[in-house]
Amino acid sequence: MTEAPIRLLIADDHPVVRDGIRGMFVGDPGFEVLGEAGDGAQAVALAQALNPDVILMDLRMPRMDGVTAIKELGRRGSAARVLVLTTYDTDRDVLPAIEAGATGYLLKDTGRDELVRAVRTAARGDAVLSPSVATRLLGQVRAPADPLSARELEILRLIADGATNREAAARLFISEATVKTHVLHIYTKLGVNDRAAAVAVAFRRGLLTLENG
């Protein structure tokens, strides 16, 4: 009995990239490209409508970025496996994507044969990572995360309560510039880009609780 083809959705804001990815799978009976999305919001909508097995997801897209889209797919109960396909392999990109629920993470210089194998692996629900990304994650495991200082935790709790930098400075009797410096350190240590993501990661890691957040 012939296996059903793996149903794909491609999400990338560059039409040329989408065409290139589609071209890798068109004509292969083991795959069916259901559709293409130009941003994360469209990817979520198409995933709901088309029910793909695997979504090839870029990270940096307009309207809704890839990490936010992955989180939204999880919130909506999508069964699709998300395979990130991006040009970025920094900690600030990799860790949030994995934490959001991505099944795999590959770079766009991946060859066709490797990409096809990765999609098959992801469709089975198994993790697949490019070598550079695997190395980064191993480094994170081997080297404990730089802990937040007591002052950084204080500021993080105030951020979670909705305080602005100016309000946090007034509460802690320090300058607003000092607060901004601490906030940047918090972002770096948590591997995030904004206040909302910092709070979300802090809750996931147990740095904040509903009682103290």
Side-chain angles (χ1 to χ4, degrees):
M1 182 177 178
T2 304
E3 290 187 6
I6 296 172
R7 295 149 53 87
L8 302 177
L9 175 64
I10 301 168
D12 195 290
D13 60 326
H14 294 98
V16 172
V17 174
R18 294 199 303 271
D19 288 346
I21 296 171
R22 173 185 281 273
M24 293 184 182
F25 294 97
V26 168
D28 188 326
F31 301 93
E32 179 184 0
V33 179
L34 301 179
E36 301 177 14
D39 58 59
Q42 189 179 14
V44 171
L46 287 176
Q48 293 290 111
L50 302 176
N51 193 29
D53 299 308
V54 176
I55 302 172
L56 292 165
M57 182 81 75
D58 190 18
L59 286 185
R60 302 189 185 182
M61 296 182 288
R63 282 216 301 163
M64 180 186 289
D65 62 68
V67 170
T68 303
I70 296 168
K71 292 177 181 176
E72 183 62 18
L73 287 165
R75 190 185 71 80
R76 297 190 183 198
S78 172
R81 308 293 184 179
V82 178
L83 181 57
V84 171
L85 191 60
T86 181
T87 56
Y88 305 100
D89 66 348
T90 65
D91 289 348
R92 185 165 288 189
D93 294 295
V94 173
L95 297 178
I98 299 299
E99 289 182 336
T103 300
Y105 197 113
L106 293 178
L107 301 182
K108 287 181 178 176
D109 60 3
T110 299
R112 181 191 182 277
D113 291 345
E114 185 181 351
L115 180 59
V116 167
R117 285 194 298 271
V119 169
R120 292 189 187 280
T121 300
R124 295 194 300 268
D126 295 330
V128 55
L129 301 169
S130 70
S132 64
V133 170
T135 299
R136 284 189 175 280
L137 291 179
L138 281 174
Q140 288 288 326
V141 171
R142 290 169 180 163
D146 192 4
L148 298 186
S149 68
R151 177 65 86 189
E152 288 164 353
L153 282 171
E154 283 182 306
I155 291 172
L156 187 57
R157 292 187 187 105
L158 291 173
I159 289 174
D161 286 336
T164 64
N165 288 350
R166 179 172 297 179
E167 291 166 342
R171 292 273 291 277
L172 299 174
F173 303 102
I174 58 178
S175 72
E176 187 175 350
T178 299
V179 171
K180 288 181 180 178
T181 299
H182 283 306
V183 169
L184 290 176
H185 289 164
I186 291 169
Y187 288 178
T188 298
K189 290 180 179 182
L190 297 184
V192 298
N193 296 309
D194 57 52
R195 299 163 80 88
V199 172
V201 170
F203 272 109
R204 284 201 300 273
R205 295 185 183 179
L207 298 174
L208 293 177
T209 67
L210 292 177
E211 289 73 26
N212 66 22

